[in-house]
Amino acid sequence: MATPVKFPDGMPYPITISKLIAPVGSYINKGDRLFAYKFWYLVEIAKSPDELDVNGNVQDGEQSKKTIRESIDFFDAPFEGTIIGWNVDVGDEIVEPGRIVCEVKRPCDHDIVYAGICTMCGKEVDERDQVSANLTISHTDTNLKVSRQEANNIGQTNKSRLIRSKKLILVVDLDQTVIHCGVDPTISEWKNDPSNPNYETLRNVKSFVLEEEAILPPMYMGPKPPVHKCSYYVKVRPGLKEFFEKVAPIYEMHIYTMATRAYAEEIAKIIDPDGSLFGNRILSRDENGSLTHKSLERLFPTDQSMVVIIDDRGDVWNWSPNLIKVTPYNFFVGIGDINSNFLPRQQATMLQMGRRNHNAEKEKESEELLTDIIDTEKKLQEKIDKEVKRQEADLTHKSAALGEEAVAQVRNGDITKKIEFSASLEVQQQNRPLAELQKHMHNQQLLRDDDDELSYLKEILATVQSEFYKALELKNGNSDDTSIQELMPKLKRSVFKDCNFVFSGLIPLGTDIQKADIVLWTKMFGASSTSNITENTTHVITKTPGTLKARIAKSFNPSIKVVHPDWVFECLSTWKHVDEKSFELKVDQVASERELEEFKKNLEKRNKNKLTDAVNFSGDLNNGTATMSSTDNVVDLFAGGSSWLVDDELEDVLDSEDDNEDDSDEDEDEYDEFADVISKREEKKRSGEALEESNNKKQHLQDDADAASAKSESESDLDLELLNALDDSDSE
């Protein structure tokens, strides 16, 4: 099979092919010259002595003079093989990287490389070679690299195997998805104390010990300090055994965690003691390649159409369509995820706690506990941040003697994340957050084991698998037209179809609600959310029916349902639009006439601004001067001063009734659809502009040179020699 040679990044584009040196059928070695090319650049003309001042600088009023220069260079073969065909010819102008130069039949394609050695031919493979074997697909060994072609072959083989057994792939997160883990020594004390009110819920808590190595300065050559042993306590999410019994026959399961491999393997021993569920399919942060995000391409680089993810975090997956986000499992309250230091930081809110009992009699007690839990997590994080700064300062001080390079490495992201993890363990052990929370319970039970998320999740996963194979059967077994990325969003969107939410008293002030987890999560299920009540609002989500938004809603439109957040979580967990009746909150006091009148004025003002902006857009489109404002920034939507948005698309945008979220984001949210259309048109336009831009580049260079100087400058001796050699070869 032929391997394409492509124009790489970094060449002085645009370039013009001057000569094809290696003929078709010839054998080339790595580094042999394939072709010669010309390129152009500007140079500054040297000044005569009388044009310089006494210090050798250009005199005032004098401008530097420039001229355009043509040069020539050679392109060398990135690997050995026989040329079987050229894809360019003499005189072709190349304006950007990526185009195929030629195709080469290689003696070995090096499709599988291990530690820099090709497993097929045994040759050493240089990372600088233009080799396609750069994909890591092994869970455990990052030294193993395969080409995209080989990865595709492996993927197709696995796909056929899965289809024969009617299985899908399930990628399983650990922390707060199927287990919860803490290092608070209080857990061990309560577990061994039958008189403690939490004793019964801790009876099945497992534990293990890991050795945590000290974080040393870069380039440290001194004696290695002793390791620190840390005890971890693990609570398995209720119903996990039944969950695996239901899911294992229809899914091939993989663990994907941002914890260390040592930690992941210990957790695997607890949830899969005989290795029958996951085997060695465990990917940890040690092999992930990123400390902040997860990617399906890391394990399945060419095809993710049969992969389902379960995780309590959506942001680390960039809210992938393959994702089923689960409500975080918070058994050890006030602790959170001990491995989350490596992930983007989240705000601590009541919504992060998931479903809670909204029984009116226990509401006040529950709210007080939730407030205490959130407050405890915040205080814990503040102490962790303080400890991180202390450890960073200590490490920087120790690194100072090793030089500036060592100090710079201390401040890089990886070391900081490791310090954060170390600090989080140390602070939790010292501050004992569980013991602090227990003080508020007056010797009542703090830890409750009533989570039922997995009972719903196992049924949802069974439904997804069943629907996938139904769709596959309808398409006569054509797996190329059946994918989880299309199936799951369709199943989800019906849950909150035509629902427009307003969250009241749940999302911190100043938060861009369109980036809030709960808003992104419900959006996957068909809902839209705004920060203010509009004519389209269908639900106000709140824990307190006395909030202004709840009172305004009932006064403005009695059909708006004011519901407890548990209704949202119930729908998200079951993938069904649950009846709101048992979750509705009674609004005893409606808004006053003055409050309602003020609200209506503000709503009318916002609607009028929307209409005015839309009319302005329509007028500007006709003369090609439309701009879009985002807060104080103005973005030009039309390059070249001409409108390229077709009439029907414009009409759809202007007629859309998307709601604004708040005053600061109104313009940006209102024109999201418009910007999408712009982006599509711009992409088409860009491809045609590239060649035109390259055609103008040389002319612009020449115009600049002519304006700066009418003088010509002789070519350098090296360029003349190269050009003469090229001319001689052309004449032959």
Side-chain angles (χ1 to χ4, degrees), residues 500-529:
N500 294 273
F501 294 162
V502 170
F503 291 90
S504 178
L506 298 171
I507 300 176
L509 292 174
T511 301
D512 180 355
I513 71 164
Q514 296 309 313
K515 295 180 181 178
D517 259 22
I518 190 64
V519 172
L520 292 168
W521 192 4
T522 54
K523 186 177 181 179
M524 295 178 77
F525 286 78
S528 62
S529 297

Side-chain angles (χ1 to χ4, degrees), residues 309-377:
I309 308 161
I310 57 171
D311 201 316
D312 68 295
R313 296 280 295 257
D315 55 340
V316 298
W317 290 102
N318 196 27
W319 296 94
S320 164
N322 301 71
L323 171 71
I324 298 177
K325 183 190 176 324
V326 301
T327 305
Y329 180 43
N330 281 296
F331 177 74
F332 300 118
V333 291
I335 287 176
D337 181 354
I338 63 171
N339 288 297
S340 65
N341 303 91
F342 290 87
L343 305 177
R345 186 170 294 185
Q346 290 183 307
Q347 283 185 314
T349 69
M350 290 188 176
L351 288 173
Q352 294 296 110
M353 304 302 296
R355 281 179 295 167
R356 289 280 162 173
N357 191 327
H358 67 279
N359 184 293
E361 296 178 2
K362 297 184 177 181
E363 186 69 26
K364 184 177 179 181
E365 177 186 332
S366 177
E367 291 301 310
E368 288 177 353
L369 177 58
L370 283 173
T371 301
D372 287 343
I373 291 170
I374 293 170
D375 188 50
T376 298
E377 287 192 20

